[in-house]
Structures are given as structure tokens and as C-alpha cells.
Amino acid sequence: MVERMNAQTEWPGETLDLFGPRRNAFSERYHLTRRGKLKRLGQITRIANQFDVVHGLTPVKMRLMLEALGPTFVKVGQILSMRSEILPQSFCDELAKLRADADPMPYQTVVDTLSHEYGRPVEEIFSHIDPTPLGSASLAQVHRARLTTGEDVAVKVQRPGVRETMALDVAIMRSIARMVTKMVSTAQVVDLGGVVEELWDTFESETDFLVEARNLAEFKRFCEPYKYMDCPKPYMDLCTEHVVVMDYVDGISVSHPEQLIEAGYDLKEIGTKLVDNYATQVLDYGFFHADPHPGNIIVSGGQIVLIDLGMTGRLNSQTRGVLKDMIFAVAKQDSPALADGLLRFAGTEANPEDYPALLADLDVIVKEFGTVDLADLDIAAFLTSLTSMAQRHGIEVPSTVTTVGRALVTLEGLLDEFIPDVNMIQIISDHIATSRSAGTMVKDEVKSLGIEGAKALHGVLAAASESKVAMRMLTRGQLRMNVEVVGSEEPMRLLSDMVNRLTMALIVVGLFVGSSIVYYAGMKPIIFGIPIVGFMGYVVAFVLGVWIVLDIYWKGRKSKKR
């Protein structure tokens, strides 16, 4: 009995009820039940019916419906607002409004959440908390506060139950994705299961505020060499999974250019430094703010301050190198280099037989975008065309590159609306050209050669190991080879048809000869003056003979048409 109890308590993974469905750690962690899923599914269905989705959605109706469905769908809408290759631009523009403030939480809920997180009265940590929130979004709410030690801080508090609600919605999405995948083969269009899992990864990281706190700390270290760039300092000892405490930044949002001008700032200088530093984040450092919309960029004390680092991206050195080459190719209107960059993303996974069509589509894109002036280049349209074309040819562009594309489109939209005199592509290309000093290029090449050399060495060692196994099997007489001659299918099919016809012809001849022998033998019984056995042989031989003639005739006509 004790052993059975221990087995139940020590195993944290999946369990199988004797009289019920399988339960897994995900459902147990977020207290998900079948009844809860059905109830939530009913809510979603009712809201969808209210907006009459069967008869179509306008951009405004879609935004209002996502807001009514709750935080999960608001976040989905925010992601879709940056995916113009999935939705028409009018929908993307409307869904971008989902960034607006949500209904604020009651102040008492904020205080109760803080007390629960810290396990002690709020007064022991904060001497004052402003009851009026600085901002209220679908995931969290931010209040200005003062620590008992005197620091002026911003406190970001997660809405209670928001992660559980998201987990419930994701569990429903998983079930729907599994059913749709069984009924319809969607692998060539979209991996529904993969999309849902990627969505949950995004939700999970954004609702774990310790991730954001660590991002703030890392980005703070990145900003140290740049006097004009900064981000709030997190108070790590006060940050939890549901609360982030950081320095309060009092400044002017870049969405208010008139106020910036009145305060004595040069808009073009702000835009130029912002883009140049963003190029440094993406192409040199490999750690970047993935959501640079106007609400996340503040100018304070002569510094550009980036806030809300819940969404960040990372790029390895190889991906950064390819991106540099592609952006530089656009700036220099070098079509072959642009094509080469995309093919480097494809690697060895793309089918060589598709390369002619791939190169033809690339030629269309580079002719459309590679010959325009940088000031007229539409980055959103360019990235959308490039990504869509890659997907058609089965080239899987790294998800981090897609994140960079969305961020650049967001940044370009910010500049177009508030700082229109700044040419983003020109600044990024100049940054790449400046960073390509002789010493830097040599250093990068040596590093790249080192990485490639290590890969090649491992490949050689692996090949030697496989050769050793093959030689051992060869000496023992156990080695077998499967050989496929490319292009041999048609000749082999024709040869098979010839052999089949020859076999049938021999059978026909044999039937005629055998039936004639029976005829002359005069065996009984007799029908139409012919022994019945011989008569049946003649009939079968005749039918088979006609079938062979017709088969030769029809296949001959088909070959002529081809």
C-alpha cells in the first residue's frame, strides 16, 4: 500500500484513469478540466455568433470580436497585425489598435496580487502606490510607486488568472488542430500543431515576468556603451513570475513629435540614432527589442529609452551574417547577392529540382524591389513577398528572421508616421558598410572559418566512423547496396509492358494450338462440330488476342499525344 502511494506521488508526468481520459502535466499545472474546456468553448462560440462570423468579418468587427474573446485572442490579434502575408493590410492596420489600453483592474486587486506574490503586506515594500494606472493592457497593468528605500519605480502587475485563461484557450486550440489535421492534410499549407505550440511558447514567455526582468537586465548592460540609449533598471529581488519592478521613466513618447520639438529635441537625430542602434542590436549584438512600437519608446533626459522587453529576439552569428548581406544587397541593388542570401537560408533542405523555379521567382522580386530608390523601398511589401515566395518553395526561413522582419516593419511604420525624414534602409546599410572595416571583416571571417572548420572536421570523423562500419560489414559479406537509377522509371515501365504482352501472346498461341489438337482428336462432347474443350480454348484465345490488339492501339495513341 505504501509503495503504491509513493508511486502515485513520485510520478509527475501523464496519468491514465481507468474510467476517464488521459490527464497530463499541462492540464494539472493549470487546473484544466473537460468541463472547463467545454464551458470556454461555449463562450467562444457565443461570441463568434454575436459577430456573425459565418457571414464574414470586417476589420473593425474582427478587432472587436478578439477584444471580447479575451487576452489570448487579443495577443493573437497583435501578432496577426504584423503578418500582412496572412491578412490583408486593412485588417493588419485595424488589429494594430489592439495595443490600446484595456479596462483597468480595480486597485484593490493590484494590492491583493502584490501581497500574495510577496507573502507580506505591501506597506513593507512600497511607501506609496498611485491608484491610477499608468497603463492597462490585456496581460498586465502598470502603476507608479515609491519603494520604502526611496526609489521611484514602475510596478507591472499581471492580471490574475490570465495565464490559466491562455492555457485553457491553447488546450482548446490544440484539440481543434488535432481534429483538423486528421480530417484535412494541412502539412503543405500550414502546420497547425506547430503554430499552436509556437503561440503557447510566446504566451508562456510573455506571462513569465522573470523573463522580462532578465531581458531588462541584459539590455541595460547592452546600453552601457551608448550614452543616448537606455532602458529601465529592474529590481531583481522584487521581481516575480507575475510582477516586475523597474525604474520609473518620465519622458515623452516618440508618438508625440510636437512635444519633442517643444522640448528642444531634433526628430531626425532621434530617428537616426534609434535606427542605427537597432541595427546594432539585430546585426552586431544578436539580442533585440522585438516590438518597437511608439508606446515602447520614450525620450527622457536626452536618452532614447526602450521599455517593455517582454518580446525580444535573438540571432546567431551565421543568421546575422546572412541578414547583413541581404540588406546590403538591397541597398546596393545587387540582385544576385540577394538571391544568394535567401538560398543560404535554404541550405541543403531545398529540393535542387525546384531551384530553376525558385530562381525565376527571385528574379521577379529583385526586379521589383532591387531597382527602386532606397527612399521608395517598401520594406513591408518586400519582406512579405520574400517570405511568401520562400514558403511556396518549401524554404523554411528561421522564425527569428521573421521576428526581425516584423520588428523592422513596425519600426518603419513608426518612422513614416512620426519621423518621416529618416530613411531606415539607408541608415542600416550605412551601418553595415561602416562596421565592415578590414579588421572586423578579418575577425568575422576567421571566426566563420573556425566554425565551418569544426563542422567539417566532425563531418570527416563521422564519415571515417561510417566507413569503418561499412568495411567490417563488407569483409563479413553483410554489406548490401540499394541503387536507384534516376530517370529509369519510364523505360522500366515500357519494358514491363513488352514482357506482359509477349507473355499473353504466348498464352494465346498455346490456346490455339492446344484447341486445334483437341479438335483433331475428336473428343466428346461436341458443340458446333468442335469438342467443347477446344471450343472454350478458341473463345478464350480470341478474347485475349483482341484485348492485346486494343491495348497496343490505345497505348500507341496516348504516346503520340504526349
Side-chain angles (χ1 to χ4, degrees):
M1 182 68 179
V2 174
E3 292 180 358
R4 185 165 64 251
M5 297 264 314
N6 289 337
Q8 290 176 349
T9 56
E10 290 177 1
W11 180 251
E14 294 186 345
T15 61
L16 186 66
D17 294 343
L18 287 176
F19 304 103
R22 184 178 65 177
R23 296 179 299 174
N24 54 49
F26 181 84
S27 296
E28 292 178 354
R29 179 181 179 185
Y30 297 106
H31 311 291
L32 306 183
T33 62
R34 174 172 291 184
R35 183 177 180 181
K37 292 179 185 179
L38 292 174
K39 183 178 178 181
R40 177 59 176 160
L41 187 59
Q43 293 175 350
I44 294 172
T45 304
R46 284 194 299 273
I47 293 173
N49 288 333
Q50 288 175 8
F51 288 89
D52 196 18
V53 295
V54 176
H55 295 92
L57 288 173
T58 63
V60 175
K61 284 177 64 177
M62 185 174 187
R63 175 178 62 81
L64 294 174
M65 183 186 72
L66 293 177
E67 288 177 346
L69 286 170
T72 307
F73 293 89
V74 168
K75 183 56 63 178
V76 170
Q78 291 176 353
I79 294 172
L80 288 175
S81 70
M82 298 181 285
R83 300 297 296 272
S84 56
E85 77 275 14
I86 297 177
L87 290 177
Q89 191 61 44
S90 59
F91 282 81
C92 294
D93 295 339
E94 185 64 31
L95 293 181
K97 298 177 183 178
L98 288 169
R99 300 184 191 281
D101 291 343
D103 293 334
M105 287 188 291
Y107 175 67
Q108 188 58 45
T109 303
V110 174
V111 174
D112 292 342
T113 302
L114 291 172
S115 299
H116 179 268
E117 286 296 310
Y118 294 128
R120 49 181 168 155
V122 174
E123 293 78 12
E124 294 183 11
I125 302 172
F126 303 99
S127 61
H128 173 72
I129 300 177
D130 189 347
T132 304
L134 295 170
S136 182
S138 59
L139 294 182
Q141 189 162 293
V142 182
H143 288 258
R144 186 175 182 177
R146 183 175 295 277
L147 298 177
T148 53
T149 52
E151 291 88 348
D152 198 9
V153 297
V155 183
K156 185 175 180 180
V157 183
Q158 188 174 126
R159 290 178 179 270
V162 69
R163 180 180 275 198
E164 288 72 16
T165 301
M166 286 185 163
L168 183 60
D169 290 340
V170 167
I172 294 172
M173 291 179 187
R174 283 173 174 165
S175 300
I176 294 174
R178 282 194 295 266
M179 287 190 297
V180 172
T181 303
K182 288 179 180 178
M183 292 186 294
V184 181
S185 178
T186 61
Q188 295 180 350
V189 181
V190 62
D191 179 10
L192 290 179
V195 170
V196 173
E197 295 308 317
E198 184 178 349
L199 203 60
W200 172 246
D201 290 341
T202 303
F203 292 162
E204 195 170 31
S205 62
E206 284 198 50
T207 53
D208 184 355
F209 284 179
L210 286 174
V211 173
E212 181 175 352
R214 288 191 289 267
N215 290 340
L216 283 168
E218 182 173 354
F219 199 78
K220 187 76 174 177
R221 291 192 296 271
F222 162 78
C223 292
E224 288 178 357
Y226 307 97
K227 294 182 179 180
Y228 62 87
M229 183 66 62
D230 200 4
C231 77
K233 181 189 75 174
Y235 292 79
M236 297 300 297
D237 57 331
L238 297 178
C239 294
T240 71
E241 193 173 351
H242 303 102
V243 176
V244 177
V245 179
M246 68 195 99
D247 281 334
Y248 172 74
V249 179
D250 188 9
I252 305 171
S253 171
V254 293
S255 60
H256 300 105
E258 300 85 3
Q259 296 182 23
L260 290 172
I261 294 173
E262 290 177 4
Y265 291 108
D266 184 345
L267 294 182
K268 188 170 184 179
E269 181 184 4
I270 291 173
T272 302
K273 288 183 176 179
L274 175 62
V275 174
D276 185 70
N277 187 268
Y278 202 79
T280 302
Q281 296 174 38
V282 174
L283 301 175
D284 299 335
Y285 194 70
F287 174 69
F288 60 95
H289 195 303
D291 193 19
H293 69 83
N296 287 338
I297 304 174
I298 297 173
V299 179
S300 175
Q303 291 182 310
I304 301 171
V305 182
L306 298 185
I307 62 174
D308 192 1
L309 271 83
M311 290 180 64
T312 59
R314 295 182 184 274
L315 296 173
N316 58 37
S317 58
Q318 180 180 359
T319 305
R320 296 201 303 270
V322 176
L323 271 179
K324 285 182 182 180
D325 292 341
M326 292 181 71
I327 294 173
F328 204 60
V330 174
K332 295 297 182 182
Q333 300 179 10
D334 189 347
S335 300
L338 183 62
D340 179 66
L342 186 63
L343 292 177
R344 284 166 65 188
F345 276 140
T348 58
E349 296 180 1
N351 187 349
E353 294 180 2
D354 294 336
Y355 275 15
L358 172 63
L359 293 174
D361 285 349
L362 274 171
D363 286 339
V364 173
I365 291 178
V366 296
K367 284 178 183 177
E368 182 178 357
F369 296 100
T371 57
V372 301
D373 293 333
L374 291 177
D376 300 326
L377 181 63
D378 186 342
I379 297 179
F382 168 70
L383 291 173
T384 298
S385 298
L386 202 62
T387 304
S388 300
M389 186 275 299
Q391 290 175 345
R392 286 199 308 272
H393 289 277
I395 298 175
E396 184 177 353
V397 178
S399 59
T400 51
V401 175
T402 307
T403 303
V404 171
R406 292 200 303 264
L408 288 178
V409 170
T410 303
L411 190 59
E412 183 192 32
L414 180 154
L415 296 173
D416 288 344
E417 185 174 358
F418 303 111
I419 315 177
D421 293 333
V422 175
N423 189 326
M424 186 173 75
I425 284 292
Q426 185 67 64
I427 295 172
I428 294 177
S429 61
D430 290 343
H431 175 91
I432 296 172
T434 304
S435 65
R436 286 191 168 191
S437 62
T440 304
M441 291 180 67
V442 170
K443 182 179 177 181
D444 290 344
E445 285 298 322
V446 170
K447 185 176 180 180
S448 178
L449 286 173
I451 295 173
E452 295 298 328
K455 290 181 179 179
L457 179 59
H458 284 294
V460 170
L461 293 175
S465 177
E466 294 293 336
S467 300
K468 180 180 179 181
V469 174
M471 290 301 296
R472 183 183 295 117
M473 294 177 66
L474 180 63
T475 55
R476 296 178 180 180
Q478 298 174 332
L479 186 64
R480 297 179 181 179
M481 296 180 64
N482 293 325
V483 180
E484 180 181 355
V485 181
V486 178
S488 63
E489 294 83 0
E490 185 65 17
M492 292 300 294
R493 187 183 63 80
L494 293 174
L495 180 60
S496 176
D497 286 345
M498 291 173 59
V499 172
N500 291 338
R501 289 173 184 170
L502 183 59
T503 303
M504 293 299 295
L506 290 173
I507 292 173
V508 170
V509 171
L511 285 171
F512 269 113
V513 172
S515 298
S516 298
I517 294 173
V518 172
Y519 172 75
Y520 285 109
M523 295 175 60
K524 294 182 180 181
I526 296 175
I527 182 173
F528 301 120
I530 305 173
I532 191 169
V533 176
F535 179 79
M536 292 176 62
Y538 283 131
V539 171
V540 173
F542 176 78
V543 172
L544 291 178
V546 171
W547 179 81
I548 293 173
V549 172
L550 291 176
D551 182 62
I552 294 172
Y553 173 75
W554 287 114
K555 288 187 176 179
R557 288 192 62 180
K558 288 182 180 179
S559 63
K560 288 180 180 179
K561 289 181 180 180
R562 288 199 297 267

